[in-house]
Amino acid sequence: MISLSDVREARERVGDAARHTPLERSRSFSEMSGADLHLKLENFQRTGAFKIRGAMNRIATLSEAEREAGVVTASAGNHAQGVALAADRAGVDATVVMPKFAPVSKVKATRGYGASVRLEGVDYDEAQAYAHELEREEGRTYVHAFDDPVVMAGQGTLGLEIVEDCPDLDTVVVPIGGGGLISGVAVAIKEQLPDVRVVGVQAEGAASAGESLKKGEVHEIDSVDTIADGIATRSIGEQTLEVMREYVDEVVTVDDREIALALTLLLERSKTLVEGAGAVALAAVLSEAFEYDEGETIVAALCGGNIDLNRLGTVIRRGLVQMGRYLKITIDLKDRPGELERVSSIVARTGANVYAVHHDRTSRDVAVNAAELELELETDDAEHAADIVDALEAEGYEVEILS
């Protein structure tokens, strides 16, 4: 098991590469949650995520023979970039195996940092299996994304920074994928401030940690399904489980709707862009996934900012739905002149803004003398959206809410 001294030694190794990222109090989120809420902006880290910390520490401890043979790893994207950059800085050849459906931006960034990238498997676990084949065939050193004490110690340097920048904290909230980050952070914080509570957060569609802690052994789920691809692993690690049992106080889950809402609010309120995995800690606070006191000093770790732009629009749309700022409805109209204008005037009176209109006379589900009207509307909030639906129904229209 890693110790505080391991984390402090790691800081000496990674200091030239890993930035000391900002920790800022958020007035907006403090007011929304009732807590004294601070954000650890690890999305500003080099490569856009905390993974450079652990990767740099692991590469720095390779023997000369291991450096000559090169390294191999598997990653959904953030660890891939960390290993690629760390290896490039150390002059070590790196091969990275990524799932076939890894975000394009992360694949391109990993190649840009100098690594050879191979796309194998549908998720992290299948990519990892292939990476171990390369490890055996090519004699490379496997750099694990989380289940390695040297990697954990490197990630723990984030915890040292939290203690330095917010020594009066009561609770720290940290995302969990495989458990490497929370293991290192928990040791760094608990060994200095034992009364601080450490809360881990997993995405509902990739939640293995809670059951693992309950059983006392690693529990692997069959598949993962979440917008938080950076923490989409089927299980935590054997060694991270050992540390989490000792140092982590509680593990909670958040669903994709809550993650999307937190991500969207961060963009709007804090002008901060994170990926799904980077939003889960804030999502846990805002959704009250765990109990906390009024005014409690909480640090939420925003662990990464590498979101694929193709996914960003979809996630924001989901967030707007959760905020009541986006309404998609269908209405069956009589197929006669003036009906579309009538609906438009009702919508205009409510003060809604129209994103898109789709008018269809040919749908199989619509009567011959009718048409289906689909509207996408910009709304102020959930109450405003409800007022629009009420206004249309008051005029005799049957409204189906799609989102």
Side-chain angles (χ1 to χ4, degrees):
M1 187 178 294
I2 64 171
S3 65
L4 179 59
S5 62
D6 293 325
V7 180
R8 285 176 169 158
E9 288 173 7
R11 191 176 199 179
E12 295 299 316
R13 300 188 190 103
V14 308
D16 290 340
R19 300 184 177 118
H20 184 134
T21 51
L23 192 151
E24 298 179 356
R25 183 181 187 274
S26 171
R27 178 178 177 180
S28 294
F29 293 124
S30 292
E31 291 175 353
M32 291 173 64
S33 65
D36 179 24
L37 187 55
H38 300 246
L39 305 177
K40 177 60 171 170
L41 301 173
E42 192 66 6
N43 54 308
F44 292 159
Q45 184 55 263
R46 186 166 290 166
T47 72
F50 70 92
K51 292 288 192 176
I52 183 63
R53 299 172 183 268
M56 185 62 68
N57 197 41
R58 184 67 185 90
I59 296 295
T61 57
L62 293 174
S63 68
E64 190 59 39
E66 289 171 331
R67 291 166 63 90
E68 287 294 325
V71 298
V72 63
T73 192
S75 170
N78 287 336
H79 178 64
Q81 294 173 70
V83 170
L85 178 58
D88 183 65
R89 288 173 62 97
V92 174
D93 185 69
T95 295
V96 177
V97 184
M98 303 177 74
K100 293 178 181 178
F101 305 111
V104 174
S105 59
K106 294 183 178 182
V107 174
K108 288 185 175 180
T110 302
R111 287 181 172 138
Y113 287 125
S116 172
V117 176
R118 301 195 188 187
L119 301 178
E120 295 287 341
V122 299
D123 59 16
Y124 166 79
D125 296 88
E126 290 188 5
Q128 183 186 47
Y130 184 77
H132 281 306
E133 290 182 21
L134 295 180
E135 175 191 14
R136 292 187 292 270
E137 293 171 3
E138 300 179 5
R140 294 174 179 267
T141 297
Y142 185 79
V143 180
H144 204 287
F146 49 85
D147 207 25
D148 181 327
V150 180
V151 171
M152 284 186 263
Q155 319 301 29
T157 59
L158 185 147
L160 298 179
E161 294 174 12
I162 291 175
V163 171
E164 291 172 5
D165 296 340
C166 189
D168 297 325
L169 81 158
D170 298 307
T171 298
V172 61
V173 189
V174 184
I176 301 176
L181 176 63
I182 196 169
S183 295
V185 168
V187 168
I189 291 177
K190 286 278 197 177
E191 287 295 314
Q192 297 179 86
L193 302 172
D195 293 332
V196 170
R197 179 173 53 157
V198 177
V199 176
V201 188
Q202 288 203 297
E204 190 176 81
S208 63
E211 192 67 21
S212 297
L213 289 167
K214 186 186 302 182
K215 292 180 175 180
E217 62 183 20
V218 172
H219 170 73
E220 182 174 319
I221 59 178
D222 294 332
S223 62
V224 294
D225 183 16
T226 175
I227 61 173
D229 58 271
I231 53 173
T233 60
R234 294 186 203 170
S235 70
I236 59 174
E238 295 280 356
Q239 297 182 79
T240 59
L241 174 60
E242 181 183 1
V243 178
M244 289 168 63
R245 290 178 65 185
E246 179 74 20
Y247 290 96
V248 175
D249 297 286
E250 186 176 356
V251 173
V252 298
T253 61
V254 290
D255 62 33
D256 278 0
R257 294 174 304 165
E258 292 162 336
I259 296 169
L261 176 59
L263 189 154
T264 306
L265 286 169
L266 278 163
L267 271 174
E268 183 173 63
R269 300 297 181 89
S270 296
K271 310 301 181 282
T272 298
L273 176 64
V274 298
E275 60 189 281
V280 297
L282 178 62
V285 178
L286 296 181
S287 66
E288 298 183 355
F290 63 95
E291 294 183 1
Y292 53 85
D293 296 329
E294 186 80 15
E296 182 173 330
T297 301
I298 300 175
V299 172
L302 309 186
C303 67
N306 295 317
I307 189 166
D308 192 287
L309 292 181
N310 290 326
R311 174 169 286 186
L312 180 59
T314 301
V315 174
I316 291 175
R317 186 63 54 84
R318 286 195 187 187
L320 289 173
V321 169
Q322 291 300 108
M323 296 163 69
R325 300 268 294 279
Y326 171 84
L327 177 65
K328 186 176 182 180
I329 58 175
T330 60
I331 307 167
D332 286 345
L333 302 179
K334 293 295 182 182
D335 190 14
R336 61 193 179 195
E339 279 296 296
L340 183 56
E341 182 181 0
R342 183 172 176 232
V343 170
S344 297
S345 65
I346 296 169
V347 171
R349 287 200 304 270
T350 66
N353 187 37
V354 178
Y355 277 128
V357 177
H358 180 68
H359 188 256
D360 186 8
R361 291 187 178 92
T362 62
S363 172
R364 292 182 180 180
D365 299 326
V366 178
V368 174
N369 64 341
E372 182 181 78
L373 178 66
E374 184 178 283
L375 294 174
E376 295 182 51
L377 306 172
E378 179 185 3
T379 53
D380 296 338
D381 50 33
E383 184 178 355
H384 185 207
D387 289 343
I388 295 168
V389 174
D390 290 344
L392 289 165
E393 291 179 338
E395 294 292 333
Y397 294 104
E398 292 186 9
V399 180
E400 180 184 357
I401 299 174
L402 301 180
S403 61

